[in-house]
Each structure stands twice: as structure tokens, then as C-alpha cells.
Amino acid sequence: MRYEYHYHNQPGCGGCLLVVALILLALGGAPLLINVIGILLSTGLFLFLALFVAFWAFSFYIRRKVSEYEQAQTESRKNFVSLLAHILVKVAQFDGNITRAELQTIKNFFRTHLHYNQNQMFWVNELIKDATHNPDSLETLLEQFKSSFAYEPRLILVELVYQVFFSNERVTEQELAQARNIAAFLELSSYDFQTIQSRYIHRQRTAVNLEQQYYEVLGLQPGASFEEIKKAYRKLSMTYHPDKVGHLGEEFKGVAEEKMKEINAAYQYLKTKFNNQH
């Protein structure tokens, strides 16, 4: 079964009938309105109706904002973000269910790491809601992602999976195994996978010094020659060029830019080190 993007249509106005009825009631005259409100208050229905109208109005507002924002996005961006949300939810459901804390972690990831505003979060919340009821397997979603996007977006996806996992205080071996399996399924090269994994693994190791960290950013072992460093730097610079993922949205272009900053910092440090030795 092939995953297809689920559009969130503009909301209808079935609830408008209730609003119109209340307006007509108000226009019927103050005495009538007072008598009816008195009856409603005595039966407790007035509070119920007020809460119902407030809930309907808020739901209508959210659905409208989601639809408007969705229509303004490119197909590539909609598919990328939707598949990302579905994959992250499916990863969280690996043990058979998904907890409120896990859902909150995914939402916080979009809000904090990708800097989504309120309208964007309305959209993400709807995508996550869709994802929790999606019967597709993780393999089906990953296969769809692999067939829909080139190599660079796949790198970004694995980067984001690691970011979600490492947004928690503790990362389990099971989560690391999931990340490795996703990278293998998306056919990332062992070199590219190691450069991604190393950036996050060393954050949990207090004994890793700055120089070793820079080697790991470039996917190299300490002691690599300067020629190997230059070759790794050129390869990573082409792979993570922000323009290659710009069509996915500014936030994902920003992920590539942050990666490039780390690559540049690592290269400049090691370049200076080798220049000082000669």
C-alpha cells in the first residue's frame, strides 16, 4: 500500500446554524432573550451551549489555518514534512504504543529544533494526529520516502531522527539500532552514516576531546592525513550544500547550513593544526 498525503480541507459550517440561531434569538427582543436565558441558566444548558460554541469556534479556526497554510506549501515540502512526522511517530510506536511524553518530544522537536511558529504547529499537530492512526508500516513509509526524494533529503531525515532521539536526556541502544536500520534502509553510505552518528555519539562521551570531535565530524579517525581531510571536506561540502534541500523549506535548509558550519569549523581547525606543523 502506497502512502499518500492526506489533505486537510477547509472546514464546513455546520456549526454556523447554532451561531445563527443564537443571533436570531438575540434579535427576537430583550424580553424573549432574557426569558430564554433564564430557562437555560436554570437547566444548566446555557453553560453547555457556551462551551460548545467556544469549542466549535476554536476548532474551526485551527482547521482553517491548517488548510490555508497547507495550500501555500509546495508538494515536495508537504510530502517531506508529512512523511517525516509519520516516520517519527511510527518509530515512537516501535514498542506497540505511543505515550503522551513521546508525542510531546516530537512536537517539541518541530517547535524547538525547526523553529516552527504557531500556524506551522497547527499543521504539525494535524499531521501527527493522522500519523497515529496510519496503518502503514515503518518500512512502507521509508520506501515511499526513498522513492520520493534524492540522496540529500535522506541524509537530512537521518539527521532529524538523531536529533529527536538525542533531544532526550538518555538515548537507549534500541533507539540507536532504529537509527542505524533507518539509515541502512535509506541506503546511506557507511561514510555518510558514520559522520552523522559520530556527531551525536560523542556528545554522550565526556572523554572525547575537541580534536577527536572534529575528526569525527569529517568522518575520519584521528591521525588521518591532510589530503584525507581535504577530500572528506570537499565531499561533505557538496553533500550538505543547503541549495540541495532548499525545496523542502527554509527550516531544512537551515539544518544543512548548521551542518555546514560544523564541517567548516572542523576543517579550519585541522587545517590550522597541519599548517602549524609545517
Side-chain angles (χ1 to χ4, degrees):
M1 183 168 61
R2 181 181 176 85
Y3 166 83
E4 293 184 359
Y5 184 82
H6 171 68
Y7 284 86
H8 304 88
N9 297 323
Q10 286 275 6
C13 204
C16 294
L17 295 175
L18 177 61
V19 176
V20 171
L22 291 176
I23 293 174
L24 292 175
L25 178 63
L27 294 177
L32 176 61
L33 181 60
I34 292 173
N35 288 335
V36 172
I37 290 178
I39 296 172
L40 291 177
L41 283 173
S42 65
T43 59
L45 289 176
F46 182 77
L47 179 59
F48 173 78
L49 288 174
L51 291 174
F52 179 83
V53 171
F55 176 78
W56 170 83
F58 184 67
S59 299
F60 182 91
Y61 172 79
I62 290 178
R63 286 154 55 202
R64 186 177 183 85
K65 284 293 183 182
V66 168
S67 182
E68 289 175 351
Y69 182 81
E70 186 178 60
Q71 291 175 16
Q73 309 308 307
T74 65
E75 289 299 319
S76 292
R77 174 176 163 76
K78 284 186 289 192
N79 286 328
F80 187 90
V81 179
S82 179
L83 278 168
L84 172 61
H86 279 69
I87 288 169
L88 294 180
V89 168
K90 195 63 65 174
V91 166
Q93 290 176 324
F94 184 77
D95 58 357
N97 58 15
I98 183 167
T99 66
R100 182 176 297 180
E102 288 172 326
L103 282 176
Q104 196 59 48
T105 296
I106 296 173
K107 293 178 182 179
N108 286 339
F109 164 74
F110 281 95
R111 185 181 295 109
T112 304
H113 291 268
L114 298 182
H115 309 292
Y116 272 29
N117 59 33
Q118 190 58 61
N119 284 345
Q120 290 172 310
M121 286 307 303
F122 286 151
W123 182 43
V124 168
N125 288 338
E126 289 299 314
L127 294 178
I128 290 175
K129 189 187 303 181
D130 295 340
T132 57
H133 302 294
N134 187 352
D136 293 343
S137 66
L138 177 60
E139 290 74 17
T140 297
L141 295 171
L142 289 173
E143 183 62 45
Q144 175 69 25
F145 192 96
K146 185 169 66 173
S147 65
S148 300
F149 297 101
Y151 189 75
E152 291 77 16
R154 287 185 245 161
L155 284 174
I156 295 297
L157 172 61
V158 175
E159 283 271 357
L160 298 176
V161 167
Y162 269 95
Q163 282 190 19
V164 170
F165 286 156
F166 279 83
S167 65
N168 299 319
E169 292 184 5
R170 180 176 174 273
V171 182
T172 66
E173 181 55 41
Q174 183 185 46
E175 289 172 328
L176 293 177
Q178 283 184 325
R180 288 193 294 268
N181 291 338
I182 289 173
F185 193 94
L186 295 176
E187 298 180 353
L188 265 62
S189 71
S190 58
Y191 173 82
D192 288 331
F193 171 68
Q194 280 302 124
T195 61
I196 294 173
Q197 180 175 253
S198 295
R199 293 174 57 232
Y200 293 92
I201 295 298
H202 75 248
R203 296 177 185 177
Q204 290 193 321
R205 297 193 233 132
T206 56
V208 174
N209 59 38
L210 186 63
E211 184 171 310
Q212 183 176 344
Q213 176 181 327
Y214 284 144
Y215 276 109
E216 289 179 342
V217 167
L218 297 178
L220 300 171
Q221 293 295 323
S225 68
F226 188 55
E227 285 302 314
E228 291 174 312
I229 291 171
K230 287 194 293 185
K231 182 179 179 180
Y233 172 71
R234 285 194 294 267
K235 183 178 186 300
L236 289 171
S237 295
M238 290 187 293
T239 300
Y240 282 96
H241 196 287
D243 287 349
K244 291 190 174 183
V245 294
H247 62 289
L248 303 178
E250 287 300 314
E251 70 272 32
F252 301 110
K253 187 176 180 179
V255 171
E257 289 171 348
E258 287 299 315
K259 173 69 173 177
M260 280 303 306
K261 288 179 183 177
E262 293 189 357
I263 293 169
N264 287 329
Y267 178 69
Q268 291 302 323
Y269 176 91
L270 296 173
K271 178 181 178 181
T272 300
K273 172 194 170 185
F274 275 87
N275 287 339
N276 291 338
Q277 290 177 352
H278 297 87

